[in-house]
Amino acid sequence: MPESFRAKQNIPLSEMTSFRVGGPARFVLYPQSYEAIAEAVSFAKEHGLPLALLGKGTNILASDQGFDGCVIRFDTPFHEPIYHGTEVIACCGTSMTALAKDTVRHGLMGMECLCGIPGTVGGACAMNAGAYGGEIKQILKRIRILKDGEDRWIDVRDCDLGYRRSAFAFPDAIALEAAFSLRPDDGTAYETMQRCMEKRREKQPLELPSAGSTFKRPEGHFAGALIDRCGLKGYTIGGAQVSPKHAGFIVNIGDATERDISALIAYVQQTVLRETGVMLEPEIKRI
Ligand SMILES: Cc1cc2nc3c(=O)[nH]c(=O)nc-3n(C[C@H](O)[C@H](O)[C@H](O)COP(=O)(O)OP(=O)(O)OC[C@H]3O[C@@H](n4cnc5c(N)ncnc54)[C@H](O)[C@@H]3O)c2cc1C
């Protein structure tokens, strides 16, 4: 095993994902530098092992069978955010919430609505995360990616950033660093940030394990409202439940398995399709 990254064996994915489900990953690699990420990818290739990439695992449903390969865990920053006027460059292992707070402390605005999204900057860029009217796409200017063994910066104008998707999400690429273009705070950023956090605490079942919104927002609708309309709030399969607080969230109320959650996702999809004619598409990614 190369010395540039720490590695562990047989670590349950339930310990690495916010849903708290998933069997063991054969290898988990913890790179300590951008170069080490490239070495981790090469290590997996050389040994013919399938590869998965995790940030903080807050948008992931991991298999009960685990993952017989290498998981690269990129959830710690290699450096502090770097400011050049209204631009900030952040390591993709940085917490999205920590970065949003830091930019507000630096007298900038543009990222305050994204405070409270519980993943990394890399995960947020890969997913084109968004909340309360803010979206990564509005502020991301350049991104440093590792793709086909090449480490380079690209302009986001060359990227296909759509609703909860991007062209640099794993396995297409690994996002290493991101440059955001913000603007001077007009005096409202802190208050907006606090209001967004408050709304989350009020509306979301943050006390239970989940992966956030289970489904994408269907065109012209809200997934939670459709699920609620079908009377599914509180519907439970095994340890998986449609949150009574927010129908858009499936929560783990005890010892949920991936099987329970998958069965509940399928049940919700079938019911909503039958009752409303809308097919819900999962937002969460699978390992
Ligand atoms: C309570 C709760 C609230 C949430 N609220 C929101 C919200 O308001 N808005 C929203 O958009 N999402 C929300 N989410 C979902 C989730 O937090 C976001 O999608 C987040 O951006 C994922 O980041 P992560 O680091 O956890 O990525 P992970 O879950 O680890 O990974 C998600 C996907 O991104 C890929 N990925 C991760 N890092 C990189 C990288 N560096 N380069 C390339 N690909 C990468 C992974 O391979 C995987 O396919 C919420 C989740 C929870 C649990």
Side-chain angles (χ1 to χ4, degrees):
M1 195 71 70
E3 282 174 12
S4 55
F5 48 81
R6 286 188 299 124
K8 287 188 187 171
Q9 287 188 48
N10 294 320
I11 305 294
L13 282 156
S14 56
E15 290 178 10
M16 293 182 268
T17 55
S18 58
F19 244 144
R20 297 277 170 255
V21 304
R26 185 157 154 205
F27 292 108
V28 183
L29 311 177
Y30 304 86
Q32 311 290 308
S33 66
Y34 297 118
E35 294 70 29
I37 292 182
E39 285 168 32
V41 173
S42 303
F43 170 83
K45 263 196 192 144
E46 277 160 26
H47 292 81
L49 293 163
L51 193 62
L53 176 73
L54 274 187
K56 285 198 188 288
T58 62
N59 207 37
I60 298 284
L61 178 55
S63 160
D64 295 330
Q65 267 60 58
F67 183 69
D68 189 18
C70 283
V71 173
I72 298 179
R73 192 87 213 264
F74 185 19
D75 70 338
T76 43
F78 304 145
H79 57 78
E80 293 292 314
I82 301 160
Y83 289 87
H84 301 288
T86 53
E87 182 181 271
V88 59
I89 298 175
C91 171
C92 282
T94 308
S95 140
M96 189 64 239
T97 291
L99 180 65
K101 286 183 178 166
D102 199 57
T103 59
V104 172
R105 267 196 302 273
H106 273 78
L108 296 172
M109 68 189 300
M111 215 178 252
E112 59 281 5
C113 296
L114 305 181
C115 189
I117 297 180
T120 59
V121 169
C125 292
M127 296 298 300
N128 185 23
Y132 306 116
E135 200 181 29
I136 285 289
K137 186 182 176 177
Q138 299 162 354
I139 50 174
L140 182 64
K141 288 294 149 205
R142 286 172 292 123
I143 189 148
R144 180 179 166 194
I145 57 166
L146 180 69
K147 187 176 167 75
D148 304 327
E150 210 189 313
D151 176 345
R152 64 195 152 106
W153 280 93
I154 52 169
D155 199 302
V156 286
R157 276 175 307 193
D158 304 331
C159 301
D160 182 22
L161 275 164
Y163 176 68
R164 301 294 173 267
R165 66 173 171 78
S166 78
F168 37 80
F170 186 82
D172 296 331
I174 298 179
L176 302 175
E177 274 184 289
F180 298 96
S181 177
L182 304 176
R183 53 189 199 282
D185 184 3
D186 65 4
T188 61
Y190 181 77
E191 203 184 301
T192 307
M193 187 170 76
Q194 295 297 107
R195 219 176 30 244
C196 290
M197 299 284 275
E198 191 50 43
K199 274 192 203 159
R200 278 179 191 277
R201 284 189 289 268
E202 234 176 72
K203 306 247 185 263
Q204 299 182 356
L206 300 180
E207 61 289 353
L208 288 169
S210 79
S213 298
T214 314
F215 301 99
K216 292 183 179 175
R217 195 176 56 232
E219 192 84 38
H221 301 276
F222 289 101
L226 292 175
I227 298 167
D228 193 8
R229 207 183 337 141
C230 296
L232 291 172
K233 263 189 178 170
Y235 191 86
T236 305
I237 296 182
Q241 185 180 60
V242 175
S243 166
K245 190 171 177 184
H246 187 318
F249 280 52
I250 287 180
V251 289
N252 178 350
I253 53 169
D255 295 322
T257 59
E258 178 253 329
R259 222 178 132 160
D260 296 337
I261 295 170
S262 295
L264 188 53
I265 288 174
Y267 183 80
V268 169
Q269 282 177 312
Q270 283 158 17
T271 309
V272 170
L273 181 62
R274 192 182 60 236
E275 302 289 324
T276 70
V278 179
M279 185 62 194
L280 294 177
E281 193 192 329
E283 176 176 321
I284 50 181
K285 303 276 179 195
R286 287 176 182 267
I287 291 190

